[in-house]
Amino acid sequence: MKLPENGISREDALARLAKMRENDLHWRDGKTFAYVYQPTPEAEEVAKTAYGEFLSENALDPTAFPSVMAMENDVLAMAAAHLGGDPAKVWGSFTSGGTESIICAVKSARDHARTHRPHITRPRMIIPVTAHAAFHKAAHYLCVELDLVEVDPETFGASPEALAAAITDDTILLVGSAPSYAHGACDDIVGIGALAKERGLLFHVDGCMGGWMLPLYKKLGADVPDFDLSVPGVTSISMDLHKYAYCPKGASVVLYNDKDLKAHQIFSCSNWTGYTIINPTVQSTKSAGPVAAAWTLSQYLGLDGYLDLARPVLEATIAAKQGINEIPGLRVMGDPLMPLIAVVSDEVDIFHVVDEMKVRGWYIQPQMGLRRPDGTRYRENFHLSLNATSAKQVPGMLVALRESVEAARAYPKIDMAAQLQTMLAGFDLEKLSDDAFGDLMGMAGVQGTNLPERMAAINGLLDALPPQIADKVLTAFFTNLNHASE
Ligand SMILES: Cc1ncc(COP(=O)(O)O)c(C=O)c1O
């Protein structure tokens, strides 16, 4: 598109905007089990109003907008108390999301090691294979090497023994999830904390998903494992507010119970000709909308409001797990307490189940498998994240799922791995040229950057490709996806 020569009316511009989203997921009906976290419409409206009020304020400079700093500190104090920390002894930052919180935590650990363990020239961190990809991204951005450890094949939780076996002289950071996204499984945070303490290592808990919800679940009487800042050995924790605290997107916190560690997060630059730059987080100029929304929502909902939002989700998760296990051909992986449910099948191609759900107006998320060193696999599956609105749709979702599984039986399970062996022989995978990429995607039914309605073949291809090659294919696809042509 070219910049229009002449502007149009507000109504027409907004009408064009509305038209733009025609093909988006229609998530407001609660039939989308990923990406969105819906509180009540009233709570959403309060948060949006607060966001709009502070949309243009710049959280770059806390001295220019003291209200923004005050709100950030209030949110951090509430978060610290929620996560078992002594607010007087916890330092942290408000960030734009889980990925930024994790990048900040890894940067702090890396720079802490540079100061306190200067002999380490190639810092390493140990993460379970179930840890969010944001840790891979942080490692990539910050030049920290990764050591991946396997998790229990039944519970999908990581044990301290597995992490202990991977520790080397260059290890600077241990990581555990509470819980992981993929299977909703909590690692043994108490055990890993004890290990971290014994070996003098930093330990980050990824509470992006569970940080807000698990303490509420505990108050509701659920059997919640210890995972927070009160666990000995935990040195930092991330918690997303734009997930189960139902804040608008762009809201997360990273907290430390060591001031020196937090200090290593901050980037300051006086060696240029412009204004003073002190960035505690990755972003520099940033809207104060997210922090204003988080602060206002905390006041509006309060603990009782949050408990009211958490209770139906807890109950719906139990009903969903049971209902799914009763559908012939489906099985929940592990036994997630959090509303993050991964489902596997020995009878049907789950990627066809995902497509069949879409035909019926439901969105569930495909997740790829991953090979273990012993040759077995973490199985491909589909994933459901429930929220306060979609929780109400669980009975309907189970009906649609049962139908979708039956419909998926009509599609033979494609042995992509076998087909790939011959396919890949013709490709120079090191240099995935545009042509080779086009051919490969063409075999999965993709023309250019237009994705087909049914995604099973593409998901099957991505599932069967070795991860390094899948990454190349995805990189090539995304490079082509965003272009400036008309
Ligand atoms: C456990 C966990 N950690 C980190 C992240 C990354 O968060 P974000 O997408 O907000 O960057 C996610 C996202 O789903 C997550 O589930």
Side-chain angles (χ1 to χ4, degrees):
M1 157 183 267
K2 285 198 183 105
L3 178 67
E5 282 296 322
N6 304 111
I8 53 176
S9 70
R10 176 184 184 278
E11 286 69 31
D12 288 348
L14 291 174
R16 281 188 193 174
L17 178 70
K19 197 164 166 39
M20 287 298 289
R21 70 187 342 176
E22 257 175 5
N23 296 325
D24 291 357
L25 283 172
H26 297 294
W27 53 271
R28 288 198 173 277
D29 55 11
K31 293 179 168 182
T32 297
F33 286 77
Y35 305 128
V36 287
Y37 301 85
Q38 286 171 269
T40 58
E42 297 75 24
E44 186 188 332
E45 193 275 326
V46 169
K48 270 191 178 167
T49 304
Y51 197 110
E53 290 280 327
F54 276 80
L55 178 68
S56 303
E57 268 73 1
N58 196 339
L60 164 73
D61 182 354
T63 61
F65 303 103
S67 64
V68 177
M69 188 170 68
M71 285 190 285
E72 174 167 359
N73 282 339
D74 282 352
V75 170
L76 292 175
M78 287 184 266
H82 195 69
L83 289 172
D86 175 353
K89 294 189 186 138
V90 173
W91 289 264
S93 296
F94 188 93
T95 76
S96 64
T99 301
E100 191 180 7
S101 287
I102 287 166
I103 290 175
C104 287
V106 174
K107 179 193 180 295
S108 301
R110 185 198 65 178
D111 291 359
H112 183 269
R114 282 181 180 169
T115 303
H116 297 283
R117 300 172 68 196
H119 60 281
I120 297 180
T121 53
R122 303 195 63 179
R124 311 184 71 86
M125 65 172 163
I126 304 176
I127 67 168
V129 281
T130 46
H132 194 273
F135 289 96
H136 294 249
K137 187 172 180 177
H140 180 69
Y141 281 11
L142 294 162
C143 297
V144 173
E145 305 285 329
L146 276 182
D147 289 308
L148 293 177
V149 299
E150 303 305 312
V151 298
D152 185 287
E154 296 298 323
T155 65
F156 302 99
S159 69
E161 292 76 22
L163 275 88
I167 294 175
T168 68
D169 289 345
D170 292 333
T171 303
I172 59 159
L173 181 66
L174 305 180
V175 168
S177 305
S180 65
Y181 179 83
H183 307 99
C186 284
D187 297 329
D188 179 353
I189 301 302
V190 172
I192 302 171
L195 172 70
K197 239 176 131 54
E198 182 197 320
R199 304 294 287 267
L201 292 168
L202 300 173
F203 176 28
H204 181 80
V205 173
D206 181 3
C208 286
M209 272 293 173
W212 191 259
M213 196 70 134
L214 289 174
L216 299 175
Y217 274 12
K218 197 168 184 174
K219 287 187 174 36
L220 291 171
D223 188 11
V224 176
D226 292 340
F227 75 96
D228 61 15
L229 287 169
S230 66
V231 173
V234 172
T235 50
S236 58
I237 190 163
S238 43
M239 172 171 78
D240 287 356
L241 302 173
H242 62 198
K243 294 192 171 91
Y244 288 106
Y246 297 108
C247 296
K249 288 186 176 50
S252 173
V253 294
V254 57
L255 302 176
Y256 304 86
N257 52 17
D258 175 355
K259 191 175 178 180
D260 177 41
L261 187 53
K262 157 77 196 286
H264 286 93
Q265 187 186 292
I266 292 169
F267 174 80
S268 168
C269 179
S270 306
N271 195 19
W272 77 308
T273 54
Y275 58 92
T276 308
I277 285 274
I278 320 166
N279 293 156
T281 59
V282 178
Q283 291 182 302
S284 198
T285 282
K286 53 186 174 185
S287 169
V291 73
W295 186 89
T296 309
L297 200 56
S298 71
Q299 308 302 296
Y300 173 73
L301 285 173
L303 178 60
D304 56 351
Y306 271 115
L307 287 171
D308 287 345
L309 287 172
R311 196 177 295 107
V313 178
L314 178 60
E315 287 161 4
T317 304
I318 296 167
K321 285 189 295 184
Q322 189 184 336
I324 290 167
N325 282 331
E326 284 167 5
I327 296 175
L330 296 185
R331 181 165 40 88
V332 172
M333 302 175 87
D335 187 16
L337 172 63
M338 283 284 290
L340 305 167
I341 308 175
V343 184
V344 72
S345 177
D346 298 325
E347 296 177 16
V348 290
D349 183 333
I350 50 99
F351 299 134
H352 280 299
V353 177
V354 172
D355 285 346
E356 287 297 326
M357 285 293 273
K358 192 169 154 207
V359 169
R360 288 165 178 76
W362 301 81
Y363 183 85
I364 56 176
Q365 193 177 42
Q367 296 197 123
M368 307 309 148
L370 184 68
R371 196 171 179 278
R372 284 198 194 84
D374 66 5
T376 60
R377 279 171 69 80
Y378 297 103
R379 296 280 304 281
E380 74 281 7
N381 59 80
F382 64 77
H383 178 106
L384 303 119
S385 312
L386 275 58
N387 63 51
T389 302
S390 61
K392 295 184 194 131
Q393 299 285 4
V394 164
M397 180 275 290
L398 290 171
V399 172
L401 200 50
R402 191 176 282 267
E403 286 172 16
S404 298
V405 172
E406 287 317 306
R409 289 187 196 276
Y411 295 88
K413 195 163 166 48
I414 310 161
D415 188 353
M416 267 292 176
Q419 287 193 21
L420 268 175
Q421 293 228 318
T422 27
M423 268 190 204
L424 292 180
F427 289 113
D428 181 354
L429 294 166
E430 287 312 308
K431 300 186 207 112
L432 197 70
S433 68
D434 256 16
D435 285 351
F437 157 73
D439 288 352
L440 194 57
M441 293 303 269
M443 289 177 191
V446 183
Q447 297 307 322
T449 50
N450 295 325
L451 293 175
E453 271 299 304
R454 295 193 74 95
M455 290 287 289
I458 296 167
N459 288 325
L461 175 73
L462 292 174
D463 180 52
L465 284 170
Q468 333 59 292
I469 298 171
D471 284 338
K472 278 183 192 283
V473 171
L474 290 168
T475 302
F477 182 74
F478 265 71
T479 307
N480 285 321
L481 200 58
N482 295 115
H483 53 83
S485 65
E486 283 177 43

